[in-house]
Amino acid sequence: MSTNPRFDPNFTPYVVNAMGPGTPERARVILGSLITHIHDFAREVELTPAEWMLGVEFINSIGKISTPIRNECHRICDVIGLESLVDEIANKIVTEKGESPTSNVILGPFWSPNAPFRALGDSIIQDPNPNGQVTYMHGVLTDMETASANGQYDFQDPNQSENNLRGKFRSNEKGEFYWYCYHPTPYSLPTDGPAGVLLNLMDRSPMRPAHIHLMITHPDYATVINQIYPSDDPHLDIDSVFAVKDDLVVDFKPKTDDPKATLDLNYPVTMALKKHHPNPNSAPPVSSFERAQQKL
Amino acid sequence: MSTNPRFDPNFTPYVVNAMGPGTPERARVILGSLITHIHDFAREVELTPAEWMLGVEFINSIGKISTPIRNECHRICDVIGLESLVDEIANKIVTEKGESPTSNVILGPFWSPNAPFRALGDSIIQDPNPNGQVTYMHGVLTDMETASANGQYDFQDPNQSENNLRGKFRSNEKGEFYWYCYHPTPYSLPTDGPAGVLLNLMDRSPMRPAHIHLMITHPDYATVINQIYPSDDPHLDIDSVFAVKDDLVVDFKPKTDDPKATLDLNYPVTMALKKHHPNPNSAPPVSSFERAQQKL
């Protein structure tokens, strides 16, 4: 705890200890730590009433702009790196032998559970765009330890467009997957709300590098949720949501033997058995306040 | 910083250092500290994705229920003791000789700038309530160091009712003030929003002890914003917003010589010259996001 002798050292423990005996134990741990850190922050910077009220109105503005399809607080958390950090805490897998599977990164606020199942080899492009560079994307799923193929995976590829460029695929018995998609395009976070205010205040770019979202599930293996980024994207070092990791940067190569595609992307995925995962049955974040509340 | 060796020690500095050169210096200090504390909190409790998403939806719900006359984030800050702490940081006055004036406590979310000026001796009761105990409240303003009277103060007494029980008074040339008001009544914070969810989760009472709000201003003296509490109130030790201080607990006494009142309250106020105040020209918190933003 940051201790400035000007301030009452008993105040924060008094507030934390005001929690009653009916507080669930995990809530007591989380709220006790959160309240302590918020108090330490306020003392550390000697937060003024005007600055505090700025924060109050900023937080009020987050909920005001949010809707069932716009989760502004999720976005704010991405901008301050919190979703990336929570993802690291939940999903970091390193075995005693130092092996690690394909990295996880954040799910982001654009995921939709409604992506349709498609056949292997199909395209996720429903509404063709004349500027799009069609890519034949393919790879194989391997086990972190044995490097053998594993079949029967479900796939989700959520992308930022709402009714297009999404799909679920099931790999074949060799663990192979392949489909057509576009080379992705960099985009800006929406800046018309509190996230834009915060990014502007921090003199930061709202851009995200181009990316393809992937979610790979299997009954025996830890779910991989990640995003992959073209190696020539100029925003790799300034991703506004801190979700680039080295092993997620990929090379798109020219393809000349396929009339349906001009680019080729080979993306092998390494998975880890659930036993290696710190939270093997953790689901991706749910966005239902009520459901999560019941679990706490 | 809490350091769990499982997690990348470079991530938080990377996020903080992403702030660009155009970030105002004070914003850099505040946001750097806030981001670091939020990250430390997440690592310390190993926040799960589901718990994080609970927090996301909780924060979204704060803004959704807020209106120009209901500031739910202000209330949440009160519930976690943050407004009390910010008030302590801004207003704590202790001279080298150990003298201290009447305590400040939080303004609270119910303050209105629209209270009308009233003549000394008037009543702030506009709408009489048959259950109310009318009190003759009086006192004198004295200087912390000289104990001499000082005239020409402005007063504001904001109370929780919207168009009643508020008033501004100007003390006389001896620093005396007197008016009629009600003995105050304890009340519950509104529990139909996120503050209620949080209090319920923490197994805490939503009650505040009965109180009278005071704001005392003078050109040469530090503004006093406080609340005073009847000594027999049962909620003094469980105030849901942590705003009770010993010198703010007062005794209401029977009054038999005044047909207009059944109780007497003598409340002397000790003020400090602005030179003793750490932030002598600090205004009470403004609730305008736009104005505060310009100042940061």
Side-chain angles (χ1 to χ4, degrees), chain A residues 2 24 38 42 76-77 86-87 89 115 127 147 159 197 205 223 233 237 240 268 295:
Chain A
S2 59
I38 290 173
I76 295 285
C77 290
V86 166
D87 176 71
I89 293 167
D127 310 321
N159 209 313
V197 171
S205 165
T223 295
D233 191 283
D237 290 335
S240 52
K295 287 181 196 156

Side-chain angles (χ1 to χ4, degrees), chain B residues 141-154:
Chain B
L141 306 166
T142 52
D143 181 281
M144 177 176 72
E145 295 172 294
T146 67
S148 71
N150 296 281
Q152 296 296 102
Y153 294 85
D154 297 331

Side-chain angles (χ1 to χ4, degrees), chain B residues 128-140:
Chain B
N129 182 315
N131 298 316
Q133 290 179 278
V134 178
T135 300
Y136 178 67
M137 178 170 170
H138 56 98
V140 65

Side-chain angles (χ1 to χ4, degrees), chain A residues 34-244:
Chain A
L34 183 58
I35 289 169
T36 301
H37 276 291
I38 290 173
H39 285 202
D40 284 350
F41 151 70
R43 280 185 288 253
E44 188 172 300
V45 304
E46 302 205 7
L47 195 68
T48 71
E51 290 161 350
W52 163 66
M53 190 51 73
L54 168 65
V56 163
E57 293 303 341
F58 183 79
I59 288 175
N60 281 330
S61 74
I62 293 170
K64 285 204 180 88
I65 206 168
S66 291
T67 67
I69 59 162
R70 176 174 184 157
N71 189 330
E72 191 75 5
C73 187
H74 188 153
R75 183 164 291 124
I76 295 285
C77 290
D78 288 359
V79 164
I80 63 170
L82 183 58
E83 186 178 10
S84 271
L85 180 59
V86 166
D87 176 71
E88 181 192 15
I89 293 167
N91 298 307
K92 186 143 193 174
I93 298 177
V94 180
T95 66
E96 287 118 36
K97 288 183 253 169
E99 296 153 328
S100 58
T102 296
S103 291
N104 256 57
V105 292
I106 65 173
L107 180 65
F110 290 112
W111 183 73
S112 162
N114 302 323
F117 261 110
R118 304 180 193 272
L120 268 182
D122 275 2
S123 175
I124 61 168
I125 303 165
Q126 292 176 352
D127 310 321
N129 183 316
N131 298 317
Q133 291 180 277
V134 178
T135 300
Y136 178 67
M137 177 169 169
H138 56 99
V140 64
L141 305 166
T142 52
D143 181 282
M144 178 176 71
E145 295 171 297
T146 65
S148 72
N150 297 280
Q152 296 299 101
Y153 294 85
D154 298 330
F155 271 90
Q156 285 180 312
D157 180 343
N159 209 313
Q160 65 268 35
S161 146
E162 204 177 0
N163 300 309
N164 186 26
L165 306 179
R166 296 179 184 273
K168 292 176 184 155
F169 295 85
R170 193 180 291 275
S171 72
N172 67 20
E173 50 294 318
K174 298 180 195 162
E176 296 165 341
F177 57 88
Y178 38 97
W179 59 70
Y180 292 92
C181 60
Y182 279 134
H183 180 288
T185 307
Y187 72 95
S188 169
L189 296 192
T191 56
D192 60 335
V197 171
L198 185 59
L199 284 164
N200 186 52
L201 183 63
M202 295 194 291
D203 189 25
R204 277 175 41 190
S205 165
M207 292 301 289
R208 294 222 57 215
H211 56 273
I212 298 172
H213 285 272
L214 296 167
M215 181 190 290
I216 304 128
T217 65
H218 185 285
D220 301 329
Y221 285 80
T223 295
V224 172
I225 296 173
N226 71 13
Q227 304 171 33
I228 56 177
Y229 308 92
S231 57
D232 58 352
D233 191 283
H235 310 95
L236 291 176
D237 290 335
I238 56 165
D239 180 10
S240 52
V241 307
F242 307 101
V244 177

